[in-house]
Amino acid sequence: MDELSPQYDGTPIISTSRLTKAFGKLVAVNDLELQVMRGDVFGFLGPNGSGKTTTIRMLLGLIRPTAGRAVLFGMDNADQLPAILRRIGAIVETPVFYPYLSGLDNLRVVAASSDMASGKANDRRLAEVLDIVELRTYENLTYRKYSLGMKQRLGIAAALLSDPELVMLDEPTNGLDPAGVIEIRRLIKRLSALGKTIFLSSHVLYEVQQVCNRVAILKKGNLLKQGNVTELLAASQQVEVRMNRDDETNYALHLIQQIQEQGANWITGAHIEQNKQGQGVLILDAPVERSAEINALLARQSLFAAEIHPRAGSLEDLYLEVTAQGVQPGNAIGMEALASTVGTPAEMPGSGK
Amino acid sequence: MSSIPKSQQVMPTPRRQESVIIGNQSYLSVLLRLISVELYKIRRRLMSKILSIVAIAVMVVFFGIISIGSIFVLASPEATFLPPPCTANLPAGTLCLDHSPTQAELDQARQRALTAVSSPLRPPDSVGTALQVGSIIGLILLIILAGTIVGGEYSVGTVRLMFTRGPTRTQFFLSKVGAILICAVLGMLVLVLIGILAGVLLNLFTGIGIDFSFFSGAWFLHTVLKLLIVMLELFVYGMLALCLSTLGRATAAGVAGALVWWGLETILGGFLFLIGNYFTGAFGNVIKAIPDYFISNSIGALLQNQDHYITATSQASTISDLQALATLVVYLAVFIGIAWWVNQKRDVTN
């Protein structure tokens, strides 16, 4: 995400302190310290069962924390929940509406239940949000006849209805076709440009990287990482070295490990991965600006790299790094297991891969 | 220790877009708006329409069945309605006819029979008939409605949507209570009026005019009170359905639970009476007194006491109005209290 919202001013709009939720012996969220700033497009990541939805539910007052507190807009949600909710538009999991009402009538019900004036007073606003999610043509269709994607879009329309400052979207691209996914991405960017703070919970890392300026990664209820996307990715930069032959690659790895043992702490890790051509490449966890130094070290041992270049850090790599402890890159079993819970660029419709 | 400072400044609310029109934010306005939303949802449900049609149909059919008696009287030979001719075989004291009936006597006999049979079609009897039918069918249908509008929110999942919109959980809860109360009042009123109207229309076939000599201020007052008592009955069972469907997070829990409770009261009342008769003394008396604190018996007592005021021939109930009302108030407090408390404290999960 290149541009920040015009409202971005570093003021926390959501702050949690030691927020904890336990269901019996199962601790779903543990001591969560979350900070979402005004104007953020905040990505909330984690595998299934990591506590994302539980956190959203606690923030929205649907469930009560076992311990800790959450402050939104400077108000504690234990004491001032109605005032907080009036400033939020949210989708929690799959949006659900009254199946016997049309999309438009459902929005009318939501509007009247959101302190908005009832009757025809808000018809213009209803038309606006239906236009935003491109459901105007289907506004009179009964909700039970909506496709999953249409339901998702109606959920977004409902979230935007009262023009809230904070929009919380829990897996908003679930069930959407490629065009729908792209449209949601555009919509999030548009809302951010309008000064809205977006809290986006998602599995689809590619999407999150496209739209979010800050992220938090959760696993088994624990916050593993939180911060600015650019900074987090910069910290996880890697250098990829390709040699001409596999024995050279193995020797280069051995050499780098020796250098590490001798105290070169700027290299934090090294391993061999298979590239798309099935050839082994050396991956070094090291600053990109020291690529020339790496090249020189290898050359001193008569190892001449065929190719050396920075490997662009992706949110996916970062995610795997912080969540998949013990899962080595290139390890087929580990990657498959992760792929079942985490969306990858390859899975992204319209990603061109 | 919390890392958030205790005193934080509340962020000012930015201006919303001009197209967003916010309604009155007072507690009552929000509540009234939510009640209107509930009524709108009820009105738009197919189930509500079907229930209304069923209720009206049952009422009309019931009056239709009563009118069949009149048709039977009109179609039968006049002599059927005369006392038997006096013969030696008749037991002593039996009313009998000691001469050949004249045409006038035949006509009178038929008219008497017709008047007696068709009496439930005309006021004031038809009001009582409509109230009785309405109290049974209305109660069943209101229980279904109450269970559905509460349990449905949980089973469909729309409770999440509603609880994250701004109004408090108490306001949402009270809107359900208000909607059920309005349905009980309006439903019963409409149903009784339809019953009376159906009776009047079917009575036209009998050719017997309506005698309004019964009408007086006292009759009207006590009849209105009877109507209110039946509405109260519907509301109490509606609250039972609301309570049970809230506890069970499902329509079925509220509907089945309230209907079973209603049926059990009758069965249990008879059973406790038998046990009470079996045991003599204080214990037996206590057992026999338990059904006096049932919902249906309290309602029955209130209705019986009103009948006693209207017609001197009816006996007053052994349960006083005060005891019956106090019992019903306690039931309402318990049902509404439990449902409200659960609604407030519950975690809304899947």
Side-chain angles (χ1 to χ4, degrees):
Chain A
M1 169 106 173
D2 300 327
E3 314 102 31
L4 279 174
S5 153
Q7 291 295 315
Y8 193 87
D9 61 1
T11 313
I13 207 164
I14 301 175
S15 304
T16 68
S17 169
R18 309 203 65 177
L19 196 65
T20 303
K21 181 67 187 179
F23 297 101
K25 285 180 181 173
L26 175 78
V27 180
V29 176
N30 186 28
D31 276 350
L32 184 67
E33 302 273 349
L34 207 63
Q35 286 238 312
V36 180
M37 309 303 174
R38 181 153 63 183
D40 263 345
V41 179
F42 190 87
F44 198 43
L45 312 173
N48 284 338
S50 59
K52 300 190 302 290
T53 301
T54 303
T55 304
I56 291 175
R57 283 184 166 159
M58 281 194 282
L59 294 174
L60 293 171
L62 286 172
I63 59 176
R64 283 172 175 73
T66 311
R69 52 196 284 252
V71 172
L72 293 96
F73 308 103
M75 297 176 277
D76 196 318
N77 80 343
D79 310 322
Q80 291 166 284
L81 187 64
I84 291 169
L85 291 177
R86 284 189 186 106
R87 300 169 73 166
I88 300 177
I91 302 181
V92 188
E93 293 173 294
T94 309
V96 183
F97 292 92
Y98 299 98
Y100 50 90
L101 295 179
S102 68
L104 180 64
D105 289 338
N106 264 300
L107 288 185
R108 283 206 172 103
V109 166
V110 173
S113 309
S114 310
D115 295 341
M116 290 169 75
S118 48
K120 292 186 181 296
N122 276 297
D123 276 5
R124 201 178 118 208
R125 180 61 185 164
L126 294 176
E128 275 174 13
V129 291
L130 283 166
D131 276 337
I132 290 173
V133 297
E134 293 176 4
L135 274 181
R136 197 75 185 279
T137 323
Y138 305 101
E139 65 180 26
N140 291 318
L141 190 68
T142 314
Y143 177 73
R144 66 164 66 90
K145 292 178 184 164
Y146 273 25
S147 68
L148 189 59
M150 287 159 81
K151 288 176 180 174
Q152 200 70 259
R153 284 191 275 159
L154 188 67
I156 293 171
L160 299 177
L161 204 52
S162 58
D163 191 25
E165 296 161 70
L166 171 63
V167 181
M168 297 180 94
L169 303 172
D170 190 5
E171 305 289 353
T173 52
N174 268 359
L176 294 187
D177 57 18
V181 172
I182 292 164
E183 186 47 46
I184 296 297
R185 193 195 307 160
R186 283 192 195 132
L187 176 65
I188 290 171
K189 286 182 174 175
R190 212 157 63 224
L191 290 172
S192 174
L194 287 171
K196 310 284 175 210
T197 305
I198 316 284
F199 187 94
L200 174 68
S201 159
S202 182
H203 288 310
V204 188
L205 304 174
Y206 177 77
E207 275 305 314
V208 172
Q209 192 172 347
Q210 295 292 306
V211 295
C212 295
N213 66 305
R214 293 182 72 244
V215 291
I217 300 175
L218 214 58
K219 188 186 179 187
K220 290 183 180 170
N222 292 297
L223 183 66
L224 301 181
K225 210 123 196 167
Q226 179 175 214
N228 188 298
V229 173
T230 319
E231 285 170 14
L232 289 173
L233 293 183
S236 69
Q237 279 185 87
Q238 292 176 322
V239 176
E240 185 178 317
V241 182
R242 186 172 67 78
M243 311 301 290
N244 284 319
R245 297 194 315 271
D246 280 352
D247 60 321
E248 284 181 339
T249 310
N250 291 332
Y251 182 54
L253 175 63
H254 175 70
L255 189 67
I256 292 294
Q257 284 168 342
Q258 272 186 342
I259 293 167
Q260 267 185 290
E261 282 164 17
Q262 285 162 17
N265 54 11
W266 51 275
I267 303 174
T268 54
H271 63 270
I272 294 173
E273 264 182 36
Q274 299 279 310
N275 67 9
K276 282 177 189 167
Q277 288 74 41
Q279 189 183 5
V281 288
L282 182 61
I283 307 295
L284 303 180
D285 299 328
V288 175
E289 56 273 17
R290 300 188 83 154
S291 299
E293 203 173 329
I294 293 165
N295 197 20
L297 281 168
L298 295 174
R300 251 180 258 147
Q301 301 298 319
S302 303
L303 285 168
F304 300 102
E307 206 176 320
I308 184 163
H309 59 83
R311 194 155 103 146
S314 73
L315 205 51
E316 187 189 345
D317 294 329
L318 176 70
Y319 182 91
L320 293 175
E321 186 186 318
V322 296
T323 61
Q325 285 174 356
V327 179
Q328 294 301 313
N331 178 328
I333 298 166
M335 290 303 282
E336 274 172 20
L338 279 161
S340 65
T341 57
V342 180
T344 64
E347 288 171 9
M348 281 305 306
S351 64
K353 294 197 178 188
Chain B
M1 278 293 290
S2 169
S3 60
I4 307 171
K6 277 280 172 204
S7 59
Q8 272 204 333
Q9 269 213 323
V10 176
M11 288 184 189
T13 314
R15 238 175 117 242
R16 292 177 203 262
Q17 287 191 27
E18 278 177 12
S19 54
V20 179
I21 314 293
I22 298 295
N24 192 322
Q25 296 297 296
S26 75
Y27 193 91
L28 193 63
S29 297
V30 172
L31 180 58
L32 290 175
R33 213 160 38 235
L34 292 177
I35 290 175
S36 73
V37 167
E38 284 303 325
L39 292 174
Y40 175 74
K41 288 190 286 189
I42 290 171
R43 192 162 58 82
R44 295 294 307 275
R45 270 178 186 272
L46 181 64
M47 187 201 71
S48 316
K49 288 167 190 161
I50 292 170
L51 292 183
S52 306
I53 291 167
V54 167
I56 292 167
V58 167
M59 184 62 86
V60 172
V61 165
F62 192 85
F63 274 92
I65 290 169
I66 294 171
S67 70
I68 290 172
S70 306
I71 295 165
F72 176 76
V73 170
L74 286 169
S76 302
E78 290 148 331
T80 318
F81 310 106
L82 285 172
C86 295
T87 58
N89 298 338
L90 274 177
T94 307
L95 184 68
C96 60
L97 199 68
D98 58 358
H99 60 278
S100 293
T102 62
Q103 188 55 46
E105 281 175 329
L106 286 168
D107 289 345
Q108 273 181 6
R110 169 179 275 174
Q111 195 63 18
R112 267 199 307 275
L114 190 61
T115 306
V117 168
S118 65
S119 169
L121 295 175
R122 292 182 300 277
D125 290 0
S126 64
V127 179
T129 311
L131 276 171
Q132 269 186 338
V133 177
S135 71
I136 295 168
I137 187 70
L139 189 136
I140 294 169
L141 300 186
L142 192 84
I143 284 174
I144 296 173
L145 191 73
T148 308
I149 66 170
V150 179
E153 299 276 7
Y154 283 100
S155 47
V156 175
T158 40
V159 67
R160 288 200 307 260
L161 179 72
M162 291 294 117
F163 281 1
T164 53
R165 301 310 304 185
T168 62
R169 288 189 184 195
T170 300
Q171 283 172 319
F172 278 113
F173 174 75
L174 289 177
S175 71
K176 302 269 183 208
V177 174
I180 293 169
L181 180 63
I182 290 169
C183 287
V185 171
L186 283 183
M188 200 58 214
L189 192 64
V190 170
L191 215 49
V192 168
L193 286 176
I194 286 173
I196 294 169
L197 189 68
V200 168
L201 289 175
L202 291 166
N203 183 62
L204 291 175
F205 296 108
T206 65
I208 300 170
I210 299 166
D211 178 8
F212 283 99
S213 62
F214 68 89
F215 194 85
S216 66
W219 178 87
F220 183 73
L221 174 73
H222 289 296
T223 303
V224 169
L225 283 176
K226 274 181 78 175
L227 181 63
L228 289 175
I229 291 164
V230 175
M231 289 169 179
L232 176 65
E233 179 187 21
L234 263 59
F235 183 62
V236 174
Y237 280 104
M239 288 304 99
L240 172 61
L242 174 138
C243 177
L244 295 176
S245 54
T246 304
L247 288 175
R249 300 177 199 234
T251 304
V255 176
L259 288 175
V260 166
W261 183 306
W262 183 46
L264 267 184
E265 278 190 334
T266 314
I267 298 166
L268 211 58
F271 184 65
L272 289 170
F273 184 76
L274 285 176
I275 295 179
N277 278 339
Y278 182 76
F279 294 100
T280 50
F283 180 71
N285 289 337
V286 167
I287 295 290
K288 272 195 283 188
I290 291 173
D292 290 352
Y293 299 94
F294 286 177
I295 302 170
S296 53
N297 287 358
S298 299
I299 293 288
L302 288 172
L303 288 171
Q304 196 179 331
N305 289 341
Q306 290 308 313
D307 279 337
H308 175 64
Y309 289 121
I310 296 171
T311 56
T313 48
S314 304
Q315 266 203 328
S317 168
T318 52
I319 305 168
S320 70
D321 284 344
L322 186 67
Q323 183 192 326
L325 280 174
T327 304
L328 294 171
V329 167
V330 170
Y331 273 109
L332 277 178
V334 170
F335 295 153
I336 294 175
I338 291 172
W340 174 82
W341 188 82
V342 170
N343 192 63
Q344 282 297 105
K345 300 291 172 192
R346 165 173 284 165
D347 278 352
V348 179
T349 58
N350 285 336

